[in-house]
Amino acid sequence: MKNYKFILSGGGTGGHIYPAIAIADALKAKYPQAEFLFVGSQDRMEMEKVPKAGYEIKGLWIAGLQRKLTWSNLMFPFKLISSLFKSAGIIRKFKPDVVIGTGGFASGPLLEMATRYNVPALIQEQNSYAGITNKLLAKKVQKICVAYDEMQRFFPQDKIVKTGNPVRQDLLAIDSLREQGMAKFNLKKNKKTLLVLGGSLGARAINKMLDRELQFILDQEVQIIWQSGQLYYEEYKKHNAVEDVQVLPYIDTMNLAYAAADIIISRAGAGSVSELMLVGKPVIFIPSPNVAEDHQTKNAEAIVSKNAAILLKEKEAEQQFKPVFKTLVHDEAKQQLLGDNIKKIALPQATEHIVNEVEKLLKQ
């Protein structure tokens, strides 16, 4: 068997980094002798996360454009030229068989140069609204793996394969972990459990809403697992003194938290949405409005259009949260319908399907 070489590029956020790592892990399991190299943006989180996962990474001097005139924006042309030259050097030296991009600014120069050197390339778009880097690369790569329908709005139809987003496989077994999850979080069996997620750093608007509506939620005979995020834990940990409330900076056993939950409130990043599809519980999405192209709202709308979740926009939360939550928590049939519908659109074998597409490129 040939000793294959793969370059993976994606970063800036966990939504781009973790899919790349999942794809690398699956390729490594299939080709134990293969060599891997990651390329990211220097000074971004991938420079820490990727080595922790056991892979070498090289950083490019690249960052996105800001919405206002800044020194960083003025430097962008120089950063882009530097990154293109460095990417060319990386490709010439490493000689990859396939290059894989999962979004983020570093993947732009790397895949651009890969296609110029005629290296087969694949991109994986996690969101329902394509990122600018992947839209620019679409005409040059051989294959585009997507997670949502109707992505021909952004990409050539003949290159699109609907695979879904890579997710943790331990979520496939959460139905059997209900009792373990209840015990882990010391929950009461006679109450519904609300799981609130704002990402590892936290979501200010969701935290403020929960702080404001805490007593109302508890009055519905609901107990709460509240992931506040590292940034906000000090501000909200005081609520741990309240019965039936657990405020945590981070949850390291998400499979057990999902298993114990009856209702979930979450942001709508691509990774979170894909996980929640597998979990199959009723979800209220409160998307972050502070992301490129408002893609979280579009992710949530794609699920809501299939009657598989509830969308509550941040600006509407103060007025709408109480009636929306009260109706859901007391309507067992609605909970069942949303849970069943979101699970129907899950794509649990996404990583395997993406690897299959990579293999096709190896054979070309």
Side-chain angles (χ1 to χ4, degrees):
M1 183 182 292
K2 183 183 174 184
N3 184 21
Y4 290 119
K5 294 184 176 185
F6 301 101
I7 294 182
L8 297 98
S9 183
T13 67
H16 296 312
I17 298 163
Y18 296 123
I21 292 172
I23 294 166
D25 288 345
L27 284 167
K28 191 174 185 180
K30 197 150 212 172
Y31 303 109
Q33 303 305 314
E35 295 179 49
F36 295 86
L37 177 65
F38 279 68
V39 176
S41 299
Q42 63 188 39
D43 303 323
R44 297 301 295 267
M45 64 187 291
E46 57 263 33
M47 302 307 291
E48 175 193 350
K49 301 294 184 186
V50 169
K52 277 188 177 178
Y55 297 102
E56 181 186 354
I57 184 168
K58 294 188 181 295
L60 303 179
W61 186 41
I62 189 75
L65 290 166
Q66 308 299 310
R67 294 184 182 181
K68 54 188 178 181
L69 186 63
T70 64
W71 177 249
S72 178
N73 277 356
L74 294 173
M75 293 298 292
F76 180 78
F78 303 100
K79 291 181 178 182
L80 180 59
I81 292 166
S82 165
S83 296
L84 287 167
F85 272 105
K86 188 168 184 180
S87 295
I90 289 169
I91 289 162
R92 285 197 304 267
K93 184 176 180 181
F94 192 73
K95 295 182 173 63
D97 294 287
V98 175
V99 173
I100 301 157
T102 58
F105 295 105
S107 67
L110 193 281
L111 269 77
E112 170 67 29
M113 297 314 295
T115 58
R116 290 191 193 184
Y117 281 95
N118 296 314
V119 178
L122 173 150
I123 56 176
Q124 195 257 330
E125 173 57 61
Q126 296 97 34
N127 292 294
S128 64
Y129 193 93
I132 187 168
T133 302
N134 283 348
K135 282 192 280 189
L136 290 171
L137 291 167
K139 291 181 180 178
K140 300 184 177 185
V141 302
Q142 280 70 42
K143 196 64 67 176
I144 303 166
C145 296
V146 302
Y148 291 89
D149 295 325
E150 304 193 17
M151 295 302 285
Q152 67 273 15
R153 293 177 295 158
F154 310 107
F155 304 133
Q157 177 72 60
D158 61 330
K159 296 183 179 183
I160 295 173
V161 182
K162 188 180 177 186
T163 58
N165 288 325
V167 290
R168 292 173 298 184
Q169 295 302 292
D170 62 352
L171 299 182
L172 294 173
I174 67 158
D175 288 346
S176 65
L177 298 175
R178 175 81 173 179
E179 291 298 319
Q180 194 177 337
M182 298 287 286
K184 165 73 177 178
F185 294 98
N186 196 28
L187 297 166
K188 297 171 181 172
K189 293 185 178 181
N190 64 331
K191 290 192 173 188
K192 295 278 188 188
T193 300
L194 170 66
L195 173 63
V196 183
L197 305 171
S200 57
L201 294 178
R204 178 184 293 277
I206 291 178
N207 284 333
K208 287 176 73 174
M209 183 191 75
L210 216 66
D211 183 51
R212 184 177 64 245
E213 307 293 359
L214 194 64
Q215 190 56 54
F216 166 77
I217 296 169
L218 295 172
D219 287 345
Q220 312 308 310
E221 290 297 302
V222 170
Q223 54 199 339
I224 305 168
I225 304 172
W226 175 0
Q227 182 184 279
S228 64
Q230 302 282 2
L231 288 176
Y232 304 103
Y233 179 66
E234 289 301 317
E235 185 176 353
Y236 295 108
K237 67 180 182 181
K238 63 187 178 186
H239 293 304
N240 280 320
V242 179
E243 187 178 2
D244 294 328
V245 179
Q246 297 177 59
V247 184
L248 304 165
Y250 184 74
I251 300 172
D252 55 7
T253 51
M254 276 307 306
N255 59 334
L256 296 182
Y258 283 138
D262 295 292
I263 295 172
I264 299 168
I265 293 173
S266 176
R267 285 302 203 197
S272 298
V273 173
S274 294
E275 285 192 0
L276 291 166
M277 287 180 188
L278 285 187
V279 168
K281 301 285 177 80
V283 182
I284 299 173
F285 285 119
I286 304 179
S288 170
N290 308 310
V291 292
E293 269 94 26
D294 197 20
H295 67 255
Q296 285 203 11
T297 298
K298 295 177 175 73
N299 290 347
E301 286 172 344
I303 307 304
V304 172
S305 70
K306 294 179 168 62
N307 198 19
I310 293 169
L311 170 61
L312 187 60
K313 293 187 178 180
E314 213 175 77
K315 63 185 178 184
E316 299 168 354
E318 191 165 346
Q319 287 76 35
Q320 295 298 316
F321 175 75
K322 282 183 178 178
V324 167
F325 184 76
K326 188 172 184 178
T327 300
L328 180 61
V329 81
H330 296 295
D331 189 340
E332 298 275 352
K334 179 75 168 178
Q335 292 170 36
Q336 187 70 44
L337 178 69
L338 293 177
D340 289 346
N341 285 352
I342 199 169
K343 199 155 195 174
K344 284 176 188 173
I345 54 178
L347 296 164
Q349 305 306 320
T351 311
E352 182 183 330
H353 293 321
I354 293 166
V355 168
N356 288 344
E357 295 304 318
V358 173
E359 284 191 291
K360 291 176 186 177
L361 295 182
L362 290 173
K363 293 172 183 175
Q364 285 181 4

